[in-house]
Amino acid sequence: MAKSKIIIDCDPGVDDAIALLLAFASPDEIELVGITTVIGNVSLPLTTRNALRVTAMANRQDVRVYAGCSRPIVLPRVQRGASVHGTDGLGDLGVPDATHPIQGQHAVDFIIDTILREPGEITLCPIGPMTNIALALIKEPSIAAKIKQIVFMGGAAFSPGNTATDAEFNIWIDPHAAQVVLSSGIPMTMFGLDVTRHATLTKARFEELERDASPLMKTAIAMMRYYGSGDASLHDPCVTAFLIDPTLFKGVDAVIDVDLDQSGAYGRTRAVENGNGSPIHVITEVDDERLFRLIDQRLRLL
């Protein structure tokens, strides 16, 4: 399989951090051309700080980080304090700050410029709210035909969500952005809660990860242990794993509708039978044993 040239658009977040580390550990399958950040699990300053911290952890300061949108397109969301990711987003473990700088260019402009420079080559991987991707499509509509594909973590097509409105968190933060992206007609693969809830951290899996762990592995495990006490599913690494080995997953095609009714199931994503629009490939199954073997094997390479 040809190497995927990707931009990871993220809101680190522990599971975002593991997704980034998995990409760094897989240079034969993935060329990470840049990281863009967005508000989500924590505020934009923290998601950007954490993206820089993770690149430093992996000694990959060559991969540039671009800060993006600090609020959703329409409705501002009140940021939470402590969560399953901790107040700092990486489990409050004192992960050292990076010494290399953020890039001056805005994430939206970086996304546009990269796609225009390499038409048909770039896979976008939003694993947080889709605000940056939506605004790139709005600012420069011509890029839609030049994006190779979008592989994203978000939504719940056939299962309940994980917020008060039964939406999945990433979509709930900015459903208007999700609607822009999901209705764009770009080839798309969706990793929603339908599948990511099966990528679960267990006692046995932690024990295997801890075997002869390197210092980086120990930090990653500590982050996952903190996170796993509140959410036992590694959602975002499924996107990276798919680009490394798509045979880990199975899915179905469906048109996805985003609920924008503020008085109803705001942010809920539903598969619409005989719906209008381009079908999205919705992942519904994962070989979770092989997935965690892959994570274990690859993170040991860093």
Side-chain angles (χ1 to χ4, degrees):
M1 189 175 69
K3 182 183 294 190
S4 296
K5 300 181 76 168
I6 74 171
I7 295 171
I8 293 183
D9 186 67
C10 56
D11 60 336
V14 171
D15 55 336
D16 305 74
I18 303 305
L20 288 169
L21 292 173
L22 189 56
F24 290 139
S26 305
D28 291 340
E29 296 89 2
I30 292 174
E31 179 182 345
L32 183 51
V33 301
I35 299 168
T36 53
T37 61
V38 67
I39 189 174
N41 288 315
V42 285
S43 67
L44 180 68
L46 282 176
T47 62
T48 305
R49 175 195 184 200
N50 290 344
L52 290 168
R53 293 160 95 190
V54 174
T55 58
M57 275 178 63
N59 197 28
R60 289 300 308 273
Q61 293 90 336
D62 58 302
V63 177
R64 296 177 177 181
V65 176
Y66 301 80
C69 295
S70 61
R71 53 154 290 172
I73 290 175
V74 176
L75 294 180
R77 285 286 170 195
V78 176
Q79 276 304 291
R80 304 172 300 170
S83 71
V84 293
H85 301 275
T87 55
D88 77 339
L90 294 184
D92 296 329
L93 300 173
V95 175
D97 278 323
T99 57
H100 62 295
I102 188 176
Q103 299 301 300
Q105 187 179 32
H106 193 278
V108 169
D109 295 315
F110 167 72
I111 290 167
I112 292 169
D113 289 350
T114 304
I115 292 164
L116 292 177
R117 187 172 60 249
E118 301 189 65
E121 296 294 322
I122 302 299
T123 293
L124 297 181
C125 298
I127 55 176
M130 293 185 174
T131 315
N132 291 333
I133 311 300
L135 288 179
L137 289 166
I138 291 168
K139 183 175 183 180
E140 184 51 71
S142 69
I143 66 172
K146 298 177 172 68
I147 296 169
K148 181 177 181 180
Q149 63 176 335
I150 294 176
V151 182
F152 71 95
M153 191 279 132
F158 306 106
S159 64
N162 57 3
T163 69
T165 67
D166 211 20
E168 180 276 328
F169 177 81
N170 283 347
I171 305 297
W172 175 80
I173 287 286
D174 197 344
H176 295 85
Q179 179 63 20
V180 170
V181 177
L182 269 59
S183 63
S184 66
I186 299 165
M188 213 166 300
T189 302
M190 171 178 170
F191 284 83
L193 298 179
D194 310 283
V195 64
T196 63
R197 280 191 172 114
H198 301 295
T200 51
L201 294 159
T202 64
K203 182 175 182 292
R205 284 170 178 160
F206 272 122
E207 289 173 353
E208 184 63 22
L209 288 167
E210 288 169 341
R211 178 182 48 82
D212 300 323
S214 67
L216 183 146
M217 279 282 283
K218 289 177 180 177
T219 300
I221 292 163
M223 288 193 294
M224 286 188 280
R225 279 200 177 278
Y226 184 103
Y227 171 77
S229 64
D231 185 345
S233 301
L234 279 184
H235 305 283
D236 296 337
C238 289
V239 168
T240 313
F242 174 77
L243 297 171
I244 298 166
D245 184 1
T247 70
L248 293 168
F249 303 95
K250 294 179 181 178
V252 298
D253 291 340
V255 175
I256 302 297
D257 181 62
V258 183
D259 194 329
L260 302 179
D261 181 1
Q262 296 171 34
S263 64
Y266 187 70
R268 180 76 168 93
T269 48
R270 291 187 176 89
V272 181
E273 189 174 353
N274 301 318
N276 296 320
S278 301
I280 290 170
H281 192 57
V282 181
I283 301 299
T284 55
E285 298 180 48
V286 58
D287 186 333
D288 55 324
E289 289 296 334
R290 287 175 57 211
L291 171 65
F292 278 91
R293 279 203 301 272
L294 175 69
I295 293 171
D296 182 33
Q297 291 164 359
R298 292 301 172 95
L299 293 192
R300 293 181 185 279
L301 300 175
L302 292 173

